[in-house]
Amino acid sequence: MEAFVVTSGEDRSPLHGTVRVGGAKNSALKLMAAALLAPGTTTITNLPDILDVAVMARLLEELGCTVSLDLDAERVDIDVPETLGHHAPYHLVRRLRASISVLGPLLARCGRAEVSLPGGDNIGSRGLDMHLRGLSDLGAEVGIEHGYVVASVVDRLVGTPLWLDFPSVGATENLVMAATLAHGTTVVDNVAREPEIVDLCTMLVEMGARIEGIGSSTLVVDGVDRLHPVAHATVTDRIVTGTWAFATAMAGGELVVEGGVAGHLDIVLDKLVSAGAEVQVRPDGFVVSAERRLDAFDVVTLPYPGFPTDLQPFAMALAAVSDGTAMITENVFEARFMFAQELARLGADVRTDGHHAVVRGRPLLSGAEVVAHDIRAGAALVLAGLAASGRTTVADSFHIDRGYPGFVETLQRLGVDVERVELPDYDR
Ligand code: UD1
């Protein structure tokens, strides 16, 4: 089993250089699922070179598509047949929670879908009630049988007013995709507004869908009889972009983040700047620098445009080495605070109570062996290692590879002493 090992001195490991941010994982996987809505060949470019994309490609093959995936060229061609399979098996879905996003498209195209209940990141219960209730309101019969979501509709889904209890990203995506081929108009209130949702809706409109209100909290979808295949480029990954901003804030130095859309990270960059970092926006990205230890700041995670839950572990790691005390409130995924225990192993002064954490900053952490529980927690531990003296070994680093193409190699180029190592069996 692989681990990432970072070695730092008393002066942290400041970053210098340029990183290029590619397509968003959380968009690319949904765009691939959306391809199912139209027979013919859909091409998606600016794909991130990560394992999850390959797993989604396997799932689409399982459903009857011919998939030509070229991760070096950051491109996939998905040839979707007129008649699709409708069974998404456990052995693939458990490796990728985002595979639940084939549910809406399959139901809309085939009138039937059997999708295994997903596994995915270890960050909370991650219910599906809003997905299932919405599809049922659109006229489907929906149930759970033998570990599978089984949904069917006699003729065609029928548009109706829907609302979400919480602006769930996954439920918004599934319901909008299903509604594109429904009979009549679906109005979905309290939807998620993340840039990845805007990207998906944009591609659906390119495919011939009729959607209004894109980017707002109410989407109006007029169902059409048929969609057509398209070529579409994935939006830039704002979480990877934010990760590099936090990396610089934590370790010091100056980084050019090429392709990063500063406008997708307004709250995040604003907080970093008020804490003492500098950000200069450029036409193709931004430059972030930190010359001193930053001031502590509070964080409250919320759906977009609030502070993203996916960047919360980085905020906690930064707070651990900032000047002062920070209160971190996690409102989206309760189990994300498992990360706090790992951070504490690096010497962080962090206490959690329910969904609040209080972090008292100290000048430097101290390297230790820790374990990654999910993609973001894993990457945040590696970055905490940049501000920890000695060796920080992050086990279960495969999680990090699921979200960050070439993370170790990029850090090496920026001057960090970091390597991939194979852990002996007794470390498992
Ligand atoms: C997506 C992202 C994830 C990000 C999250 C929030 C992907 C592949 N993952 O996850 O990285 O952290 O958005 O920005 O795109 N919930 C329910 N019932 C439902 C649906 C959700 O209770 O039917 C709950 C979840 O348990 C969670 C919260 O709502 O506590 C947010 O979930 P959601 O927005 O749906 O996140 P995902 O789509 O799973």
Side-chain angles (χ1 to χ4, degrees):
M1 188 56 79
E2 236 183 29
F4 294 171
V5 179
V6 192
T7 308
S8 281
E10 301 289 318
D11 296 331
R12 312 189 186 192
S13 297
L15 304 177
H16 291 282
T18 300
V19 291
R20 179 192 158 265
V21 181
K25 168 179 91 70
N26 287 352
S27 198
L29 299 171
K30 322 307 173 58
L31 301 176
M32 291 173 75
L36 292 169
L37 288 163
T41 304
T42 282
T43 299
I44 298 162
T45 54
N46 199 32
L47 275 187
D49 179 3
I50 51 172
L51 185 64
D52 281 9
V53 166
V55 177
M56 182 56 103
R58 277 282 303 113
L59 178 58
L60 297 182
E61 283 173 344
E62 188 84 21
L63 296 169
C65 303
T66 305
V67 182
S68 158
L69 176 63
D70 184 346
L71 283 175
D72 289 336
E74 302 179 342
R75 166 192 173 117
V76 66
D77 298 290
I78 305 164
D79 188 5
V80 180
E82 279 292 340
T83 308
L84 276 169
H86 57 254
H87 182 80
Y90 177 60
H91 72 92
L92 289 173
V93 176
R94 78 182 175 85
R95 296 173 63 191
L96 182 62
R97 182 183 156 90
S99 36
I100 195 65
S101 56
V102 301
L103 179 62
L106 284 184
L107 185 60
R109 271 294 306 288
C110 315
R112 184 167 177 86
E114 293 167 10
V115 181
S116 170
L117 290 168
D121 286 345
N122 198 3
I123 52 170
S125 58
R126 305 188 85 165
L128 292 177
D129 53 311
M130 287 182 260
H131 301 240
L132 306 190
R133 196 175 56 234
L135 293 175
S136 160
D137 288 348
L138 287 169
E141 196 163 307
V142 185
I144 307 280
E145 292 172 23
H146 309 295
Y148 280 75
V149 177
V150 179
S152 61
V153 60
V154 176
D155 180 22
R156 190 175 167 186
L157 295 169
V158 179
T160 190
L162 302 173
W163 64 92
L164 303 180
D165 292 340
F166 176 89
S168 151
V169 170
T172 301
E173 291 164 341
N174 249 327
L175 297 177
V176 168
M177 286 192 280
T180 56
L181 291 176
H183 177 73
T185 302
T186 303
V187 180
V188 200
D189 256 330
N190 198 26
V191 294
R193 294 186 278 157
E194 271 70 359
E196 296 78 33
I197 305 262
V198 172
D199 197 26
L200 173 65
C201 289
T202 304
M203 176 167 134
L204 293 171
V205 167
E206 290 160 0
M207 293 169 82
R210 303 225 303 256
I211 306 176
E212 277 175 26
I214 297 174
S216 79
S217 52
T218 303
L219 289 171
V220 180
V221 186
D222 274 322
V224 295
D225 290 339
R226 204 175 160 85
L227 297 175
H228 56 79
V230 288
H232 181 89
T234 315
V235 71
T236 304
D237 199 313
R238 72 195 157 95
I239 304 300
V240 172
T241 304
T243 298
W244 290 119
F246 271 104
T248 314
M250 240 176 279
E254 182 176 287
L255 209 57
V256 181
V257 186
E258 273 180 10
V261 181
H264 289 168
L265 286 167
D266 281 338
I267 287 195
V268 174
L269 297 180
D270 229 56
K271 283 198 176 271
L272 291 176
V273 168
S274 30
E278 252 192 66
V279 174
Q280 289 167 270
V281 179
R282 292 180 170 183
D284 179 32
F286 57 87
V287 185
V288 54
S289 57
E291 283 181 7
R292 63 169 177 87
R293 184 176 169 214
L294 297 199
D295 303 328
F297 57 85
D298 294 344
V299 161
V300 178
T301 67
L302 283 171
Y304 189 83
F307 193 98
T309 175
D310 284 352
L311 289 178
Q312 184 265 105
F314 301 95
M316 189 182 277
L318 174 62
V321 289
S322 292
D323 188 5
T325 298
M327 164 87 94
I328 314 263
T329 304
E330 175 55 63
N331 288 319
V332 184
F333 285 117
E334 69 280 11
R336 274 232 143 102
F337 280 170
M338 279 162 69
F339 169 71
Q341 294 161 21
E342 298 303 311
L343 199 58
R345 286 185 51 75
L346 297 177
D349 181 349
V350 46
R351 279 169 198 222
T352 60
D353 184 5
H355 65 130
H356 299 290
V358 176
V359 189
R360 292 188 179 82
R362 43 182 49 149
L364 198 62
L365 298 175
S366 107
E369 291 168 36
V370 288
V371 60
H373 291 303
D374 68 69
I375 302 174
R376 310 303 167 190
L381 287 168
V382 172
L383 298 187
L386 303 179
S389 65
R391 269 166 75 92
T392 300
T393 302
V394 183
D396 285 355
S397 54
F398 68 90
H399 281 298
I400 305 171
D401 286 326
R402 284 187 43 218
Y404 294 88
F407 195 55
V408 164
E409 295 70 19
T410 306
L411 283 169
Q412 285 169 340
R413 262 198 307 104
L414 300 177
V416 175
D417 180 351
V418 55
E419 55 181 346
R420 291 170 185 269
V421 300
E422 210 47 55
L423 286 185
D425 273 353
Y426 63 77
D427 280 338
R428 298 291 313 149

